[in-house]
Amino acid sequence: MHTRKSIPALLLAGALLASTACAKEDDAPAQSAKPRDIKAVEGCGENGWTDPADLAEDRKPARCDKGAPAPQPLKKERKLVVATGTLSAEYVAPLQVAVQKGEFKKEGLDVELKVLPTPDALPLLAKGDIDAQWAAPEAAVMNGINGGFDIKWVAGNFSPDPKSKSGLWVRLKDGETATKVPMAGRKLGTMIGKGSVIAYPMSKALTQHGGGLDKVDFRQLGSADVLTALENGGVDSAWLLDPVWRKVDGKDEFAFLGGQPLGEPLGGALFGPNLLTEDKDAGVAFLRAYVRTINTYFAGDYKSDPAFVTELAKLLKIDEAIVKSTPSLRMDWELRKGTTDRLQDAYAEAGVAEGDRVPEDKAVDRSFYAEAVGHKN
């Protein structure tokens, strides 16, 4: 068994765990007491589901027809509070569009998107003070589950386009090439800490070049400082996100070493006890609206529609030229088999995991989007 380091920032109060457990102990999760009735969904046939074990980089994401799955309004309107770390990132766009276009309303849901960082939102989700979180199974989440929090990853968000170069970039030294860059001992600038899901693809890229999360010198920087530090030599390498990598792409002194795995979402929707057990109907309705929004507005190269790009830019409150500067994301509501295992391997390597490995069935629940598209296991 790995010896794992304790992280004060990730320690979640015992009192919170106790109060959460007590609060839910006597609840009768009536909806989870009997098997759900899964019915075929018009417009979501074989293409509405892909085998979770399919890890092919060229896997086509699941898709239903435009406008499918059709709304199934709840008998009584339900208000949901969904936390997200930002409202300006493109991967949050389907949520914003679903709100703006009334897709949640069609399900009888009044959805409020609330900006909260993951460390602040996580205990609120576990207590039931918020209903869902648009984030990722980061180290803090996995450690929380290990500590007793009733939280599961229930839907994906996106994987990158093959043309994207969002990821690990390095300043080349004399004699080095993109295929031969020894990374051990180098300074790596990132605004994302070791406990982020990006630790997984970062570890993969570093290992291919003689490095590793435990062999580089991490320098956590502000979002506006990462590129500057790489360009002026303050760090040797950096994790550059969309569209920042465009600034160094094509320059001989910089090389792209790798990014997020193709075809494998690393974030998306996290549900707490409110939707996991107390009101599964609302949880399915939320994902049904989300899936329908992807099929209607984000099914393919959505940036090929100039009017939609203009709409997105206004919605995200970012410059239209920036939206156009990177390829469309591959929006993907499904979760791949083994992703949480691979993430935990990276967290252990980085020294930010606590306790034993969380098994996938304790961290992941695909049943909500399966029901939304009419898939029976």
Side-chain angles (χ1 to χ4, degrees):
M1 184 176 71
H2 292 291
T3 299
R4 304 192 176 193
K5 299 178 182 178
S6 176
I7 306 168
L10 300 181
L11 289 177
L12 302 170
L16 175 58
L17 282 169
S19 65
T20 303
C22 292
K24 306 303 174 189
E25 191 174 272
D26 297 327
D27 288 348
Q31 294 187 39
S32 61
K34 59 181 180 179
R36 305 279 296 179
D37 183 18
I38 310 298
K39 299 178 180 178
V41 173
E42 186 176 354
C44 294
E46 293 182 1
N47 293 332
W49 177 271
T50 67
D51 181 359
D54 184 358
L55 302 178
E57 293 186 347
D58 61 351
R59 174 187 64 89
K60 292 183 178 180
R63 290 290 183 262
C64 302
D65 294 344
K66 184 177 180 179
Q72 297 181 33
L74 300 172
K75 294 179 180 178
K76 184 178 180 181
E77 185 177 87
R78 173 84 150 78
K79 179 175 176 60
L80 298 182
V81 178
V82 181
T84 175
T86 178
L87 287 174
S88 61
E90 198 169 316
Y91 64 83
V92 187
L95 291 188
Q96 301 232 60
V97 169
V99 171
Q100 185 194 53
K101 302 289 186 181
E103 298 298 345
F104 290 126
K105 285 288 187 184
K106 294 174 186 176
E107 300 287 350
L109 297 174
D110 176 11
V111 173
E112 176 190 355
L113 302 179
K114 191 170 185 177
V115 177
L116 283 173
T118 294
D120 295 340
L122 190 58
L124 299 178
L125 182 64
K127 283 200 302 179
D129 289 344
I130 60 174
D131 302 286
Q133 190 172 346
W134 204 251
E138 297 176 346
V141 174
M142 303 307 290
N143 291 339
I145 294 173
N146 225 350
F149 280 179
D150 186 15
I151 294 173
K152 287 189 177 182
W153 187 23
V154 298
N157 51 10
F158 77 95
S159 63
D161 184 277
K163 297 186 291 293
S164 174
K165 293 181 181 178
S166 172
L168 185 61
W169 284 81
V170 62
R171 175 186 285 276
L172 298 173
K173 298 178 181 179
D174 291 343
E176 293 180 342
T177 65
T179 56
K180 188 177 180 182
V181 187
M183 290 297 296
R186 298 210 183 191
K187 297 176 184 176
L188 195 158
T190 174
M191 66 178 189
I192 304 162
K194 294 181 182 181
S196 165
V197 291
I198 300 302
Y200 156 40
M202 191 181 293
S203 173
K204 186 176 180 181
L206 288 170
T207 301
Q208 291 173 347
H209 294 277
L213 296 175
D214 56 344
K215 295 180 181 178
V216 294
D217 181 9
F218 274 86
R219 301 295 173 91
Q220 197 158 350
L221 304 169
S223 59
D225 302 322
V226 176
L227 176 63
T228 302
L230 179 63
E231 290 181 320
N232 66 21
V235 295
D236 307 300
S237 57
W239 191 270
L240 303 180
L241 303 175
D242 287 332
V244 179
W245 59 267
R246 288 288 194 187
K247 300 287 186 179
V248 296
D249 189 30
K251 295 183 178 180
D252 293 339
E253 64 267 38
F254 298 104
F256 174 61
L257 301 186
Q260 179 177 329
L262 300 178
E264 184 176 14
L266 299 181
L270 304 175
F271 280 179
N274 291 355
L275 299 180
L276 284 177
T277 55
E278 294 180 29
D279 196 348
K280 279 197 168 186
D281 287 345
V284 173
F286 178 84
L287 290 192
R288 185 165 50 240
Y290 170 55
V291 169
R292 183 170 61 253
T293 300
I294 290 179
N295 291 320
T296 305
Y297 302 99
F298 297 91
D301 182 14
Y302 52 89
K303 292 187 182 180
S304 63
D305 181 350
F308 190 59
V309 170
T310 300
E311 190 175 348
L312 270 185
K314 291 180 180 178
L315 200 60
L316 300 174
K317 297 180 180 178
I318 56 179
D319 189 90
E320 190 170 333
I322 293 177
V323 178
K324 293 178 180 177
S325 70
T326 55
S328 297
L329 300 176
R330 290 188 170 183
M331 300 300 185
D332 190 351
W333 64 78
E334 293 189 312
L335 306 177
R336 300 295 89 199
K337 183 178 180 180
T339 297
T340 53
D341 290 337
R342 291 184 284 277
L343 289 171
Q344 289 180 93
D345 286 342
Y347 301 152
E349 179 188 345
V352 294
E354 298 174 350
D356 296 330
R357 179 193 293 270
V358 178
E360 184 179 84
D361 62 359
K362 193 176 178 182
V364 172
D365 188 342
R366 299 180 180 87
S367 68
F368 289 88
Y369 67 72
E371 182 174 339
V373 301
H375 175 79
K376 293 183 180 181
N377 291 321

